[in-house]
Amino acid sequence: LVLVHGSDVLHEGWVYQRAVRFLFKRADRLTANSLHTRGLLTDIGIDLDRLAIVHPGVETAGYECPPSDLTTHPLMQELSGRRVLLSVGRLIRRKGLLEFVQNVMPDLVIRFPELIFLIVGGDATRSLVHVERMRDKIEAAVAEKGLHNHVRLLGTLPDEDVRRLFYRADLFVLPGLATPGDIEGFGIVFLEAALAGTPALATRVGGIPDAVADGKTGLLVDPGDHAAIKAALVRLLEDGDLRNELAAGAERRAREHFIWPVITDRYIREFEVCVTGI
């Protein structure tokens, strides 16, 4: 049984491609982490009858209830009176954060002067693929657009601080791009935000539509459509009832369908198929 995550299908290199395709074509069974990843496998000739979709699981420890210091912790006190957009993850091009800061935030802060966009994560310095240093570029865009009071790059934070931010944020934002050769295979971070009752605004790219149920746990727009991203965020920030409805749907879906006991049962079933062929 081979687990496939998306970019592992697309990674370039003659030797690499020969090796993974040899493995894929001789595996008894393969699991894809999203519908999009399954499509990548069928595109290279893998039969559907050997493929199953098994989504990633999410760890629920720490998400039993909101932290007791959600208003008193120093990091939270700095956010008093602010509307908070949050993004968490490595700073790589396909996340679309640079373009979001350049093309969306300037108009949003005019309409919502109390808005702040928090970016958690650092450059992918250990990656063999992502060599671009996005932090410097995002910081330059913040300075160019005069957004020092509205965009903060927090770098890498302890897990407990990230959980606090998931609970404190009004919306989780990941405006992913359709970047050739590099995709968002799924997006476990959407599920972590969902466990904290935070709905998402994201784009229909890669496996994100598997992680965010459009209109049920968040809103999806087309990648690179800055006008649509702005319109969706304005709608979500102004409509508290919609935001609460999506928040409840996001948490319910994460806890019913993506907790590890559910996911491990699916993997056990795939192992049984490998062994029995049934």
Side-chain angles (χ1 to χ4, degrees):
L1 179 67
V2 178
L3 283 60
V4 187
H5 297 278
S7 292
D8 40 10
V9 185
L10 299 173
H11 186 62
E12 296 180 348
W14 180 83
V15 174
Y16 175 86
Q17 283 295 325
R18 284 289 297 271
V20 297
R21 293 190 185 213
F22 178 89
L23 180 62
F24 290 163
K25 291 181 179 179
R26 284 158 181 78
D28 295 295
R29 196 153 179 82
L30 301 95
T31 64
N33 65 346
S34 66
L35 182 64
H36 183 269
T37 299
R38 188 182 72 173
L40 294 176
L41 288 167
T42 59
D43 287 346
I44 63 171
I46 306 300
D47 295 333
L48 272 174
D49 60 4
R50 290 198 294 129
L51 282 170
I53 295 176
V54 180
H55 295 119
V58 64
E59 177 57 60
T60 58
Y63 292 96
E64 296 84 2
C65 61
S68 59
D69 61 353
L70 198 56
T71 58
T72 59
H73 188 275
L75 180 61
M76 300 298 104
Q77 289 181 330
E78 293 179 28
L79 302 175
S80 178
R82 306 298 296 265
R83 304 289 292 277
V84 178
L85 305 181
L86 174 67
S87 191
V88 178
R90 295 181 303 164
L91 303 183
I92 54 181
R93 171 66 65 174
R94 73 163 187 255
K95 305 289 186 179
L97 299 177
L98 174 61
E99 292 76 9
F100 181 80
V101 169
Q102 291 172 324
N103 301 297
V104 178
M105 282 300 295
D107 290 339
L108 279 182
V109 299
I110 293 173
R111 189 158 187 154
F112 305 100
E114 75 283 10
L115 190 67
I116 187 167
F117 180 36
L118 303 179
I119 302 173
V120 177
D123 285 324
T125 54
R126 297 184 180 181
S127 172
L128 298 177
V129 179
H130 303 103
V131 297
E132 194 173 13
R133 295 296 176 254
M134 294 302 302
R135 181 176 181 121
D136 290 344
K137 295 185 177 183
I138 295 171
E139 288 179 337
V142 170
E144 179 187 353
K145 300 295 183 179
L147 294 170
H148 291 97
N149 192 43
H150 299 282
V151 179
R152 287 185 60 190
L153 285 86
L154 300 178
T156 303
L157 295 179
D159 289 346
E160 56 268 26
D161 284 345
V162 176
R163 282 194 295 271
R164 289 186 181 98
L165 290 174
F166 279 136
Y167 275 102
R168 174 61 180 82
D170 294 280
L171 295 166
F172 185 81
V173 178
L174 204 163
L177 301 174
T179 306
D182 189 22
I183 62 167
E184 194 74 36
F186 179 76
I188 296 174
V189 69
F190 291 111
L191 304 181
E192 294 172 330
L195 288 175
T198 301
L201 183 284
T203 48
R204 298 183 188 91
V205 64
I208 290 178
D210 286 51
V212 179
D214 190 21
K216 297 179 180 179
T217 70
L219 297 182
L220 296 177
V221 300
D222 291 334
D225 190 340
H226 305 305
I229 293 172
K230 278 186 277 191
L233 283 171
V234 168
R235 180 186 175 196
L236 287 167
L237 289 169
E238 291 185 340
D239 191 339
D241 290 339
L242 173 61
R243 200 167 61 249
N244 291 336
E245 179 183 339
L246 294 175
E251 183 174 2
R252 183 171 56 251
R253 182 172 182 256
R255 295 188 185 277
E256 289 179 357
H257 299 288
F258 295 96
I259 59 174
W260 273 113
V262 173
I263 301 303
T264 51
D265 282 347
R266 294 175 185 166
Y267 275 119
I268 289 169
R269 174 57 186 154
E270 292 307 315
F271 284 123
E272 289 172 346
V273 173
C274 280
V275 173
T276 65
I278 301 174

